[in-house]
Amino acid sequence: MHLFSAMFLLVMLAVMPTEALYPSPEEGWQIYSSAQDADGKCICTVVAPAQNMCNRDPRSRQLRQLMEKVQNISQSMEVLDLRTYRDLQYVRNTESLMKVVDGKLKVASENPRSLNPKGFQELKDKVTQLLPLLPVLEQYKADAKMILRLREEVRNLSLVLMAIQEEMGAYDYEELRQRVLLLETRLHSCMQKLGCGKLTGVSNPITVRASGSRFGSWMTDTMIPSSDNRVWSMDGYFKGRRVLEYRTMNDFMKGQNFVQHLLPHPWAGTGHVVYNGSLYYNKYQSNIIIKYHFRSRSVLVQRSLSGAGYNNTFPYSWGGSSDIDLMADENGLWAVYTTIPNAGNIVISRLEPQSLEVLQTWDTGFPKRSAGESFMICGTLYVTNSHLAGAKIYFAYYTNTSTYEYTDIPFHNQYSHISMMDYNPRERVLYTWNNGHQVLYNVTLFQVIKTSGD
């Protein structure tokens, strides 16, 4: 998710004079149909009249409701654009690679002497592996066309609303309402296809702020509405109790407008997560997980993670009492840890958020002390090979199939000492604490989009 673009846009809107942008609401309904900004994002703006105008006309109320739906659809389309852009770029790159490899294969087929038998077979096998991607590429193209059609329908609907402004009562409101409902249904169907995917790439790092000590953690809530932009920061890896809650990401960047929460029990490690209004963390010198509710400023529940090592028994390679790592993804709340019976190998447990009861557990077979950090995306655990410079994501364990594979996904470890790395499914970014710097990475997920006939 392009957080900095969004924040920059918000800042610009805050400082620009509204009189220059919008006519007075007293002039009646002012409707601005769909348009595109410099980044190609869909924009639909509606300015309502004063409440005392036409407030007795039921048709005006219907019109207002329809306009609000058009605006909501436009905003949903913008989210859809953001979610598909990076994945579509990956698919396009794959398509180019496939064409290049296919061209080389044709040259080799026409002139067999240009390749030795081993090289020819390797090239042929590579093409065979790429061929199943063709239907996926075609589906992405079809979905891109669907987005364009939805955008065009919003534009047309806005034009209809403009006509209603000029001639109230000349349009069948029921028909218009049905068109909006149909458009909402189609948009929902399209967005439902864009679910989980496989991690294929990590962007260059985006440094948000340099603050705190060498170790720590920072995060946003994965389950709250997108309008809530609070950021939480926890400096240090042991015996800490002070949690800072910033009102917005911009406030966090500036180090202003925050409140302090003093936890009743100190924490261990940096594997904390904020999930649905509560902080989940590992209690210092124990294998107890605590759920602390921010609004009530109280502990709602605490439960021992049976058999889990603690106090640097089974930490990540960087140490720091990182025995128990709590995280959240599209599938819920997770704990990553290990036990003596598992011989120090990473164990994944899915937790029930209310009771902290363990719902299901997987033994990955991967030694935790060999891992730099790890994070969950779509029920898959991704593990880095180091916390230092030159790190890459090189192991993935899939809980849906209880299988694993070794991967090779590089990323730039700019400050050479990562002590926290967590995925936020709402924003599709990785939050990291890197040697006293708070850093973001965008991720690319490869998704197989299914049609309704599949």
Side-chain angles (χ1 to χ4, degrees):
M1 192 174 199
H2 305 287
L3 292 175
F4 284 88
S5 297
M7 287 189 290
F8 179 76
L9 181 60
L10 288 174
V11 172
M12 291 301 293
L13 289 175
V15 299
M16 293 177 70
T18 56
E19 292 80 7
L21 291 175
Y22 305 119
S24 168
E26 298 296 336
E27 299 176 15
W29 287 97
Q30 303 295 330
I31 306 166
Y32 297 80
S33 60
S34 301
Q36 287 185 341
D37 63 10
D39 296 325
K41 297 177 182 177
C42 182
I43 300 174
C44 180
T45 304
V46 177
V47 180
Q51 292 297 321
N52 61 351
M53 295 182 63
C54 304
N55 56 3
R56 295 182 181 179
D57 188 349
R59 295 175 301 178
S60 295
R61 289 195 295 272
Q62 288 178 305
L63 180 58
R64 183 181 295 108
Q65 293 171 356
L66 290 173
M67 287 181 170
E68 290 173 351
K69 287 190 175 183
V70 170
Q71 190 174 19
N72 291 336
I73 291 172
S74 298
Q75 293 171 351
S76 297
M77 286 175 59
E78 182 178 346
V79 173
L80 185 60
D81 279 336
L82 291 173
R83 291 183 64 181
T84 55
Y85 175 77
R86 287 169 292 181
D87 300 320
L88 188 57
Q89 292 302 311
Y90 172 80
V91 172
R92 286 173 177 166
N93 293 338
T94 305
E95 184 178 27
S96 300
L97 174 63
M98 182 167 54
K99 290 179 179 178
V100 171
V101 175
D102 188 55
K104 291 182 178 180
L105 182 60
K106 289 180 179 178
V107 172
S109 299
E110 295 170 358
N111 184 13
R113 295 182 180 180
S114 63
L115 282 178
N116 57 40
K118 181 179 178 181
F120 181 86
Q121 186 60 43
E122 289 177 351
L123 189 56
K124 188 176 180 180
D125 291 342
K126 190 65 177 178
V127 173
T128 302
Q129 294 174 9
L130 289 174
L131 286 177
L133 293 175
L134 279 172
V136 178
L137 291 167
E138 292 302 320
Q139 186 59 52
Y140 268 103
K141 292 179 181 178
D143 276 21
K145 292 179 180 178
M146 182 184 299
I147 293 173
L148 292 177
R149 288 197 299 269
L150 289 170
R151 181 177 294 154
E152 181 66 18
E153 288 195 35
V154 171
R155 189 187 71 84
N156 292 338
L157 192 55
S158 297
L159 293 176
V160 171
L161 292 172
M162 291 179 69
I164 294 176
Q165 175 193 358
E166 298 175 358
E167 190 175 349
M168 295 294 289
Y171 200 91
D172 187 341
Y173 281 91
E174 182 60 27
E175 179 183 346
L176 186 59
R177 188 180 70 85
Q178 291 301 323
R179 287 183 61 184
V180 173
L181 290 176
L182 178 61
L183 186 59
E184 284 185 314
T185 301
R186 292 179 59 189
L187 181 63
H188 179 73
S189 175
C190 182
M191 296 188 69
Q192 284 294 103
K193 297 177 183 178
L194 300 173
C196 280
K198 181 179 180 180
L199 180 65
T200 58
V202 177
S203 74
N204 288 326
I206 303 169
T207 302
V208 176
R209 185 184 176 191
S211 66
S213 64
R214 190 177 190 185
F215 314 95
S217 61
W218 71 297
M219 66 216 80
T220 57
D221 196 329
T222 65
M223 289 288 288
I224 56 179
S226 57
S227 58
D228 190 333
N229 299 310
R230 286 178 295 170
V231 178
W232 289 268
S233 176
M234 302 167 67
D235 190 13
Y237 68 87
F238 77 107
K239 297 176 69 174
R241 295 176 58 195
R242 184 169 175 257
V243 183
L244 299 184
E245 177 186 305
Y246 293 85
R247 186 181 60 182
T248 65
M249 180 67 74
N250 192 44
D251 287 336
F252 174 73
M253 294 170 63
K254 296 178 181 179
Q256 64 184 21
N257 294 329
F258 63 85
V259 296
Q260 176 177 287
H261 298 268
L262 193 62
L263 300 177
H265 306 288
W267 71 68
T270 59
H272 330 299
V273 64
V274 176
Y275 186 81
N276 200 22
S278 294
L279 171 69
Y280 296 79
Y281 70 97
N282 176 209
K283 183 179 178 180
Y284 178 60
Q285 289 190 332
S286 75
N287 59 9
I288 294 174
I289 301 173
I290 291 178
K291 177 183 179 181
Y292 174 84
H293 189 240
F294 284 117
R295 179 172 295 180
S296 64
R297 294 179 177 261
S298 63
V299 172
L300 298 185
V301 65
Q302 53 182 310
R303 179 185 290 268
S304 173
L305 193 58
S306 180
Y310 61 93
N311 200 27
N312 276 325
T313 303
F314 299 114
Y316 290 122
S317 59
W318 64 272
S321 299
S322 56
D323 303 74
I324 298 175
D325 194 356
L326 302 170
M327 53 191 74
D329 71 353
E330 293 83 352
N331 295 346
L333 185 66
W334 304 84
V336 173
Y337 58 102
T338 190
T339 65
I340 292 177
N342 287 95
N345 293 330
I346 290 179
V347 174
I348 306 170
S349 289
R350 190 161 66 90
L351 305 179
E352 204 290 311
Q354 302 302 322
S355 65
L356 295 180
E357 179 185 356
V358 173
L359 301 177
Q360 192 173 356
T361 297
W362 295 261
D363 181 0
T364 67
F366 188 91
K368 191 166 185 290
R369 286 184 174 273
S370 298
E373 265 290 340
S374 69
F375 53 91
M376 297 288 297
I377 298 181
C378 299
T380 298
L381 179 73
Y382 294 94
V383 181
T384 68
N385 64 336
S386 174
H387 63 287
L388 304 173
K392 64 181 179 180
I393 300 164
Y394 83 129
F395 180 82
Y397 186 90
Y398 306 96
T399 60
N400 61 334
T401 58
S402 298
T403 59
Y404 69 89
E405 69 172 339
Y406 286 90
T407 61
D408 188 6
I409 305 174
F411 66 95
H412 182 39
N413 186 349
Q414 187 169 359
Y415 303 105
S416 303
H417 198 288
I418 293 177
S419 60
M420 168 260 176
M421 195 170 199
D422 269 341
Y423 170 70
N424 186 305
R426 186 186 71 172
E427 302 167 356
R428 282 199 170 177
V429 296
L430 293 173
Y431 281 70
T432 66
W433 189 290
N434 195 336
N435 213 353
H437 297 79
Q438 292 73 54
V439 181
L440 292 176
Y441 294 89
N442 288 308
V443 299
T444 299
L445 302 182
F446 184 73
Q447 300 164 321
V448 178
I449 301 178
K450 297 181 179 180
T451 62
S452 57
D454 290 345

